[in-house]
């Protein structure tokens, strides 16, 4: 019998967790820096450094302006959205006890999209964010109450996948509304609407909302990580081990919906991030939520920043829609993961 | 909690599922070192009763006390330190090693931000050894056979170290020798810690082997009123025949006893 007490995987779990998270944080910083330095205008690290310290010529001033006003907000928005979607995906996978669930199964993205499209249709683009938020939250509530059965939300997949079914049906409804709104939209707005639907980071301002929600979500769910580990085995198992089941499920649902809504409102419906990143990280790092949840925030952020940078650079100066890029990476990776599972 | 009080005390318990009354005004107690077995036909409500005793379902009426503490006075975590519950099925969708599945039993003993320490690892290790699971320790639970997975769940309960074990069909999926070895282990462990065991069993030879007390649930001839008593008093051909609604006969030998349905005089499906 191997001596578990002496073997490193069990004795040093906490140390291992911190090592993994520090490495991921370093990776995330490196990726962010890469995103700031690459693009159709090449910027040397020395120029950036000189400009940041306040001395430099006119050339560096332009460089600083490009980085500060264009690349930094975009990279930060990509990071926050990637982290939010991966975190929401990890939470939905636990809640529905399905390792391949997606944060969009609740129809939140569809609700937000309909809100955003409405604002363009009534030619009040300044209403885009509030209407998208309203649409997302309305959809989350609709699915929550729609999935109730005798006053309780039914969570089990397999025997009674009510939540999943309700979400899929509501999302299909939103899909129909989106097509209706697109067919009514003036041609001038059709192109930007389509890009937004597939996920678009080009117009991002400083993403304060997304970062706030990301920090809040992680702060509220991370302390419950060991409870969530029990939930991964089964609901009865978790409850018998002292996990307040209903409260935990309500938190998971609420935070996943909020995180998805914040991401969708910031950058549209970026596909596959919330599905692929938690699943891949689980294969790499194991299924301990104490490591997996913060790893999703960091890894999801880094993944989307990389994908967005690639989308900007590959056929520069033309930028590809980021969502097309995450889908093009996501589909083969997903098929590969599915074969391994 | 009071060490002298019964580990489980049930007074005037009425359990309903929908409109159906599963048991009415049921009273019994289980003392340290006792083993109580619940027997009844399919659909009699054995699992529902066990979930109620575990505090995972609310009863219609009645009181449940664990070591003198009313169930309502304990929160979920305090309950988990007192009783362990084995569900009738383990259904894994996420990967986890056997070791981690057993270590999960330590969850209620850890503080909010605490990580599993040397003591918890040692408890899990002992539990694995007791159920002869060492060779499987690093296997993914999703690759186990149903019987192996059942033993992993039993090991997790030993690691949890409760004073009340509630087991829903602990012998299911196990081969005949594994059944007695696993249950011997769990009962020995329970007695060593002055714990009590309540289990639902369909295997009547295991009931006669382990039970001190028996609850017969779902007898149509008593209008569904549960009967409780000592094993010797309850496990008779008359009572079991009435309970299952078919004649039962005794099989005896080598200081062991079991009950099986009597052979039909006429085959149900006549030979062509």
């Amino acid at each position: 019998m191997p001596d578990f007490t002496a073997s490193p995987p069990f004795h040093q779990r906490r140390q291992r967790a911190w090592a993994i998270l520090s490495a991921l944080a370093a990776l995330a910083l490196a990726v962010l820096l890469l995103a700031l330095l690459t693009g159709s205008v090449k910027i040397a690290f020395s120029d950036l450094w000189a400009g940041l310290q306040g001395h430099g010529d006119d050339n560096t001033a332009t460089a600083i302006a490009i980085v500060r006003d264009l690349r930094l907000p975009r990279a930060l928005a990509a990071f926050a959205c990637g982290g939010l979607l991966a975190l929401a995906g990890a939470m939905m996978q636990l809640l529905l006890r399905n390792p391949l669930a997606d944060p969009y199964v609740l129809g939140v993205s569809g609700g937000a999209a309909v809100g955003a499209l409405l604002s363009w249709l009534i030619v009040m683009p300044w209403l885009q964010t509030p209407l998208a938020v309203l649409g997302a939250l309305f959809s989350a509530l609709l699915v929550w109450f729609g999935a109730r059965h005798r006053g309780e939300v039914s969570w089990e997949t397999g025997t009674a996948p009510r939540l999943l079914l309700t979400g899929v049906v509501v999302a299909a409804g939103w899909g129909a509304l989106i097509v209706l709104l697109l067919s009514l939209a003036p041609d001038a707005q059709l192109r930007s609407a389509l890009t937004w639907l597939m996920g678009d980071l080009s117009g991002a301002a400083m993403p304060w909302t997304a970062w706030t929600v990301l920090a809040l979500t992680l702060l509220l769910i991370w302390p419950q990580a060991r409870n969530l580990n029990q939930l991964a085995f089964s609901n009865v198992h978790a409850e018998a081990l002292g996990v307040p089941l209903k409260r935990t499920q309500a938190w998971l649902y609420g935070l996943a919906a909020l995180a998805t809504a914040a991401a969708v409102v910031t950058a549209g419906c970026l596909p596959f991030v919330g599905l692929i990143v938690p699943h891949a990280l689980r294969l790499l790092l194991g299924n301990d939520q104490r490591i997996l949840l913060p790893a999703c925030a960091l890894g999801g952020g880094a993944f989307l920043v990389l994908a967005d940078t690639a989308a900007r650079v590959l056929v520069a100066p033309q930028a590809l829609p980021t969502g097309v890029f995450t889908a093009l990476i996501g589909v083969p990776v997903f098929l590969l993961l599915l074969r391994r599972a | 909690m009071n060490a002298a009080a019964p580990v489980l005390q049930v007074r005037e318990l009425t359990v309903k599922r929908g409109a159906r009354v599963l048991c009415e005004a049921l009273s019994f107690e289980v003392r340290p070192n006792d083993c109580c077995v619940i027997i009844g036909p399919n659909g009699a409500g054995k699992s529902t009763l066990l979930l109620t005793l575990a505090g995972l379902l609310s009863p219609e009426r009645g009181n449940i006390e664990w070591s003198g503490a009313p169930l309502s006075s304990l929160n979920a975590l305090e309950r988990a330190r007192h009783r362990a519950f084995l569900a009738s099925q383990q259904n894994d969708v996420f990967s986890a090693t056997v070791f981690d599945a057993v270590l999960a039993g330590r969850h209620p003993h850890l503080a909010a931000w605490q990580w599993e320490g040397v003591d918890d690892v040692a408890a899990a290790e002992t539990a694995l050894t007791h159920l002869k699971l060492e060779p499987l320790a690093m296997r993914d639970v999703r690759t186990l056979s149903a019987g192996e997975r059942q033993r992993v769940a039993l090991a997790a309960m030993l690691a949890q170290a409760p004073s009340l074990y509630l087991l829903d069909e602990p012998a299911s999926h196990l081969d005949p020798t594994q059944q007695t070895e696993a249950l011997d282990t769990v009962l020995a462990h329970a007695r060593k810690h002055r714990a009590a065991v309540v289990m639902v069993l369909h295997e009547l030879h295991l009931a006669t082997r382990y039970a001190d007390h028996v609850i017969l649930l779902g007898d149509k001839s008593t209008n569904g009123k549960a009967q409780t008593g000592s094993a010797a008093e309850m496990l008779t051909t008359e009572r079991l025949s009435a309970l299952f609604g078919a004649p039962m006969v005794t099989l005896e030998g080598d200081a062991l006893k079991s009950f099986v349905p009597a052979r039909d005089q006429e085959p149900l499906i006549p030979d062509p």
Side-chain angles (χ1 to χ4, degrees), chain B residues 188-200:
Chain B
H189 199 272
R191 292 202 168 123
K192 199 171 140 201
H193 297 92
R194 292 185 50 75
V197 176
V198 178
M199 57 185 167
V200 170

Side-chain angles (χ1 to χ4, degrees), chain A residues 1 3-5 10-11 13-14 17 93 97 99 223 226-227 230 232-233 236 239-243 282 287 290, chain B residues 56 76-77 80 83 85 91 93-94 99-101 104 107-108 110-116 118 125 134 137-138 160:
Chain A
M1 157 127 201
D3 184 1
F4 293 108
T5 327
F10 300 106
H11 193 57
R13 276 190 179 194
R14 198 168 17 172
Q93 288 165 8
R97 288 177 39 67
R226 198 152 40 77
N227 278 348
Q230 312 310 324
F233 283 108
V236 172
E239 207 173 7
L241 282 176
V243 176
R282 194 178 292 124
N287 198 24
R290 293 173 286 193
Chain B
L56 299 172
L77 216 52
R83 68 90 180 84
F85 178 81
N91 178 15
V93 293
F94 291 102
F99 185 85
D100 278 347
H107 175 78
L110 298 174
W113 280 100
Q114 199 182 354
W115 284 62
E116 295 85 355
V118 176
E125 203 174 330
E134 312 98 306
M138 285 299 115
Q160 194 182 342

Side-chain angles (χ1 to χ4, degrees), chain A residues 297-311:
Chain A
L298 292 167
F303 170 76
L304 194 54
V305 172
L306 260 187
D308 186 49
T309 308

Side-chain angles (χ1 to χ4, degrees), chain B residues 107-145:
Chain B
H107 175 78
H109 300 286
L110 298 174
W113 280 100
Q114 199 182 354
W115 284 62
E116 295 85 355
V118 176
D119 292 349
D120 303 302
V121 172
E125 203 174 330
T126 312
L128 278 173
T129 316
H130 278 327
L131 282 150
K132 301 197 170 66
L133 288 164
E134 312 98 306
L136 303 179
M138 285 299 115
R139 279 265 294 276
D140 184 337
V141 287
R142 293 177 303 175
T143 67
L144 300 177
S145 76

